[in-house]
Amino acid sequence: MAATGTPSLSTLLKRTTLDDHEAVLKACNASLKQSKGDLEALHVKAVALLKLDRYEDALRVLEEGGDKLKDRGLLERAYALYKVGDLEAAKRVAKSVSGSRGARHVEAQASYRLEEFAQAAELYKDLAASEAAFDNEENDLRINGGATDAQLELKRQGHLVQKKKPGREDLEAFETAYNAACGSIARGELGQGEVLLKRAKDLCNSLEELSDQDKNAELLPIAVQQLYVLFRLGKVEEAEKLASEIAIPHIPDLSTQQIAQNNKLTSSSQSSNPYLYHRLFHSSPTLPKSDKLFDFQADLMRRNSLTLDLLASKYTGVANSTSKALSEQKMPTTTAGTNGLSVLNAAAHAQSRLGKLGLKEILPLLEKRPTDLGLIMTIVQLYILTNNHGSAITVMESFLKRLDESREPTDQDVRFAPGLVAVVVSLYTIQGRKSHIKTELAKAASYWRRKSKPQSKLLRAAGLVLLESPNEEDLKTAAEIFDTLRKQDSSDRFAIAGYVASYATTSPSQIESEVDKLTAVSRLTTGIDAAALEEAGIAQTTAATTTTASRKRGLEGKEKAANKRVRKSRLPKDLDPSKPPDPERWLPLRDRSSYRPKGKKGRQKAAAMTQGGVSDKGSESLNIAASDGVIKPASSGVVSSSKTKHKKKAKK
């Protein structure tokens, strides 16, 4: 009886299904035993290994199969590289494949993980514009596109996102609802994010095709995001309740486990042992290369770790590690991660002390890092906490002067960064330096107007300040600023109104066409009774009214002043009102005429006191010789001799 052999590869492939990858792999191995260089068998084996999630084995087969197999399996190789975490190579290989939608998907995914979100968004946009090649591809594109838009918002590149508000189609699947929630959270719309997260959780719970285990795996990341939102909204009790329900070990992704542990520790309102927090925070396992955090997440985790080190009094370790990291960074920079390290480095050197004690330790660091923006802001903050606004302004002006003298273009971007300009203007506002405010905003506006992407908020603030100036040059500059804003957005009524106000007093004819675009005055004043306003007079704030009332003296209805408290009488008990008081009662006892000292020594001491008389004993007077005008001391009546003073008494 003949033995039954292993089916041939071609026969097996004809009747294969999506669930028998192990059988396909066995057939490939059997075929390769007979012919090691079988290109078809090697290719099918690589695909089967990918289906079995054995990405490293698949990559090894493709690498060892020779150049022909590499050329034939470019898509499979790109996907395997992506899954093992070699993102740069995956993107390069996928980009080399032309005319393949699958390769475009891998390229977009690799770009997403490399945090090249603008490129990923463009790839997904192109894929969505063409016809889908397989079932459910349209839904996948919507999910991945939504995730990319959320990351663009987190990267402060929201101007590249076309869709700001979630549509009806985003509320039909829990993945799209979750991505829409992440986008809202990135824009600071926490209330809307909370609603969308609840919607995502409800949609996930309602899916019948998912098992309870799969549902739990999908719900846990949503709960972790909910925990963050509740804590940011100040709903501490709800956050703590939700944190107690999150089973961190059951979360499938290690990166999500680490974030969940961080959020759980952060949301706790109970003051706990910092050393225990430190141990719990570092209990998370090391992340593999294929499951790394995004840069902004890794930066936050690193800063939280250093903060826990400070709470655990590990000042030297934090100072050394942050100093080493800062030495590798280019200064100055507006990057939040680098400046955050500068703040932690200053806190470590000051050992978390504030006020003058902290400044004493931090100020020497300024000599080593004079262009460290994070260090500068820390010093300014400490000066403000001690009400030393003058020193804060001096430090800030010295820093700005160093940047003004620099010729590096990146230094100028930092010099006129909107946040830094806002800090300077706030410091000047505290001390009422209006001219300095105008100068600073005018310089910043002049810089950003030359850029391709002007900072509209800063330009608006500068235009408003310059409009208040009576100087024609300032009004002209304000007009140029509002003209720039008007050209940037022709429907911006704020820019149009500023442009009209700039020329209203100097060139009214130049703004006739723009005035019609603004709301008519008659419409703005509809429902306002001018006569009633005139009769009511000038409105005053509550503080001003209270101050004025307290300074004025009331004429009518003045309340009777409270009676003063009568002090208790301190007259002596044996006082006789009929006898006149002693006129010497205010003198000290020894200066009164009735004073009689007690004892022999007391009487001798009293006799030696002059009581206003002149004594010629024991004192030294001066005689002036009329002949030569020399001042000579008069001889004393008592002559003392050393011999007499130290003469011993004779024995009797």
Side-chain angles (χ1 to χ4, degrees):
M1 184 176 179
T4 304
T6 304
S8 65
L9 180 62
S10 58
T11 305
L12 188 62
L13 289 177
K14 288 180 181 179
R15 63 172 188 262
T16 187
T17 65
L18 292 176
D19 299 326
D20 55 1
H21 308 301
E22 289 287 355
V24 173
L25 184 60
K26 289 181 181 180
C28 290
N29 291 332
S31 177
L32 289 172
K33 286 181 180 180
Q34 300 175 2
S35 175
K36 293 183 178 181
D38 189 347
L39 196 64
E40 180 72 20
L42 287 171
H43 190 195
V44 173
K45 181 179 179 179
V47 174
L49 289 171
L50 289 176
K51 295 288 187 180
L52 294 170
D53 295 342
R54 295 169 58 180
Y55 305 111
E56 294 181 355
D57 294 338
L59 190 60
R60 185 170 56 254
V61 170
L62 292 169
E63 293 291 340
E64 295 174 355
D67 294 337
K68 290 185 178 180
L69 181 60
K70 287 183 181 180
D71 294 338
R72 182 174 181 176
L74 286 175
L75 176 59
E76 291 80 2
R77 183 163 170 257
Y79 184 71
L81 289 168
Y82 166 74
K83 295 301 289 187
V84 299
D86 195 351
L87 302 176
E88 290 286 355
K91 179 184 174 183
R92 183 175 62 254
V93 173
K95 199 171 185 178
S96 64
V97 183
S98 58
S100 172
R101 289 182 67 86
R104 298 287 78 75
H105 276 280
V106 175
E107 182 184 358
Q109 283 292 93
S111 299
Y112 178 85
R113 290 300 305 170
L114 287 169
E115 302 193 35
E116 299 173 357
F117 301 118
Q119 185 175 355
E122 192 66 27
L123 287 168
Y124 284 128
K125 183 180 178 182
D126 294 341
L127 287 169
S130 56
E131 186 178 355
F134 53 87
D135 295 339
N136 211 30
E137 183 185 6
E138 184 178 352
N139 186 47
D140 290 345
L141 288 173
R142 187 182 299 113
I143 293 171
N144 294 340
T148 306
D149 289 345
Q151 292 289 356
L152 285 172
E153 295 283 2
L154 288 169
K155 276 283 189 178
R156 302 295 186 266
Q157 296 178 339
H159 59 280
L160 299 176
V161 179
Q162 297 179 351
K163 188 177 180 181
K164 294 290 184 179
K165 294 184 179 181
R168 179 174 295 180
E169 65 278 3
D170 296 323
L171 304 179
E172 295 176 353
F174 77 91
E175 298 97 337
T176 53
Y178 177 78
N179 289 334
C182 292
S184 299
I185 295 168
R187 290 189 295 270
E189 302 169 356
L190 298 177
Q192 184 175 351
E194 182 185 12
V195 173
L196 290 171
L197 287 173
K198 290 180 179 178
R199 174 66 177 173
K201 184 177 284 189
D202 294 339
L203 288 171
C204 185
N205 281 320
S206 63
L207 292 177
E208 298 179 355
E209 59 268 21
L210 291 180
S211 64
D212 292 340
Q213 185 178 358
D214 292 338
K215 284 184 181 180
N216 190 48
E218 297 290 351
L219 288 171
L220 282 173
I222 300 175
V224 173
Q225 194 72 291
Q226 270 188 312
L227 178 61
Y228 170 78
V229 173
L230 291 173
F231 182 72
R232 286 286 307 275
L233 289 172
K235 301 179 179 180
V236 180
E237 294 182 358
E238 294 184 38
E240 290 182 343
K241 181 180 178 181
L242 180 61
S244 63
E245 298 173 355
I246 297 177
I248 295 178
H250 295 165
I251 299 176
D253 298 332
L254 293 180
S255 59
T256 308
Q257 282 188 22
Q258 199 173 89
I259 295 172
Q261 183 67 45
N262 176 81
N263 291 358
K264 198 169 184 177
L265 292 175
T266 306
S267 61
S268 178
S269 62
Q270 299 178 356
S271 58
S272 181
N273 188 342
Y275 300 96
L276 177 60
Y277 271 20
H278 187 276
R279 185 176 66 84
L280 290 174
F281 182 85
H282 291 90
S283 63
S284 301
T286 304
L287 299 180
K289 188 177 179 181
S290 58
D291 192 19
K292 292 290 185 182
L293 296 170
F294 288 106
D295 284 349
F296 77 95
Q297 294 173 330
D299 175 62
L300 290 173
M301 297 294 286
R302 178 173 59 171
R303 279 189 276 172
N304 286 350
S305 175
L306 292 171
T307 302
L308 287 173
D309 289 343
L310 289 176
L311 292 175
S313 301
K314 298 185 177 183
Y315 301 117
T316 304
V318 174
N320 293 337
S321 61
T322 51
S323 297
K324 182 179 179 180
L326 290 172
S327 64
E328 301 172 355
Q329 303 295 327
K330 185 180 179 181
M331 300 288 185
T333 179
T334 55
T335 306
T338 303
N339 291 322
L341 289 179
S342 299
V343 176
L344 291 168
N345 179 265
H349 280 89
Q351 297 187 358
S352 301
R353 290 175 294 188
L354 302 177
K356 295 181 179 179
L357 293 176
L359 284 168
K360 183 179 179 181
E361 302 295 333
I362 295 175
L363 285 174
L365 299 175
L366 194 57
E367 299 178 1
K368 301 178 182 178
R369 306 198 303 269
T371 57
D372 188 342
L373 179 58
L375 179 61
I376 294 290
M377 299 304 295
T378 304
I379 294 173
V380 168
Q381 181 66 22
L382 290 178
Y383 273 131
I384 291 175
L385 291 176
T386 57
N387 282 330
N388 194 348
H389 303 112
S391 297
I393 292 176
T394 301
V395 171
M396 184 61 72
E397 287 179 339
S398 300
F399 174 66
L400 296 180
K401 185 178 179 181
R402 287 192 290 270
L403 294 183
D404 287 333
E405 295 171 353
S406 175
R407 296 183 179 180
E408 292 290 334
T410 55
D411 291 356
Q412 297 306 307
D413 287 342
V414 176
R415 165 64 181 86
F416 296 107
L420 184 59
V421 174
V423 172
V424 177
V425 170
S426 299
L427 290 173
Y428 285 149
T429 304
I430 292 173
Q431 293 199 337
R433 302 186 186 183
K434 294 184 178 180
S435 60
H436 290 74
I437 294 173
K438 183 181 70 175
T439 303
E440 181 64 26
L441 287 174
K443 289 169 62 177
S446 175
Y447 176 79
W448 286 110
R449 279 169 52 208
R450 299 192 299 266
K451 295 291 183 178
S452 59
K453 297 178 181 179
Q455 298 288 338
S456 58
K457 292 183 178 180
L458 191 147
L459 293 178
R460 287 187 176 201
L464 281 177
V465 171
L466 292 172
L467 273 180
E468 298 175 358
S469 174
N471 191 346
E472 292 186 3
E473 290 296 328
D474 292 339
L475 292 176
K476 184 178 178 181
T477 305
E480 294 173 355
I481 291 173
F482 286 116
D483 187 39
T484 302
L485 292 172
R486 189 170 58 99
K487 291 178 179 178
Q488 188 177 354
D489 184 5
S490 58
S491 61
D492 188 355
R493 294 197 173 191
F494 181 90
I496 297 173
Y499 183 75
V500 170
S502 303
Y503 285 109
T505 56
T506 56
S507 303
S509 59
Q510 191 171 345
I511 56 174
E512 291 179 355
S513 59
E514 302 295 331
V515 173
D516 297 336
K517 298 179 181 179
L518 299 175
T519 306
V521 177
S522 58
R523 184 178 176 183
L524 293 173
T525 57
T526 302
I528 297 177
D529 191 347
L533 289 175
E534 185 176 357
E535 184 179 355
I538 300 174
Q540 292 184 345
T541 61
T542 306
T545 307
T546 305
T547 304
T548 306
S550 63
R551 290 179 180 176
K552 290 183 178 181
R553 182 177 61 186
L555 297 177
E556 296 180 1
K558 182 179 179 181
E559 295 182 1
K560 185 178 180 181
N563 294 329
K564 293 184 178 180
R565 182 172 62 88
V566 179
R567 293 183 178 274
K568 187 177 181 181
S569 176
R570 295 184 179 179
L571 296 175
K573 296 180 180 180
D574 57 348
L575 176 66
D576 188 359
S578 62
K579 293 181 180 181
D582 185 6
E584 296 181 351
R585 66 184 181 277
W586 308 115
L587 297 175
L589 187 62
R590 61 183 176 81
D591 292 342
R592 299 181 189 179
S593 59
S594 59
Y595 175 67
R596 296 293 181 270
K598 297 180 180 180
K600 183 178 179 180
K601 291 183 179 180
R603 287 192 294 270
Q604 288 177 354
K605 186 176 180 181
M609 298 176 67
T610 61
Q611 288 290 336
V614 179
S615 173
D616 59 354
K617 186 178 180 181
S619 63
E620 197 174 67
S621 62
L622 298 177
N623 291 333
I624 302 177
S627 60
D628 54 5
V630 180
I631 302 177
K632 297 180 180 180
S635 60
S636 175
V638 179
V639 179
S640 64
S641 172
S642 59
K643 294 181 180 181
T644 306
K645 184 176 181 182
H646 299 286
K647 187 177 180 180
K648 295 182 178 180
K649 292 183 179 180
K651 294 183 178 180
K652 290 183 180 180

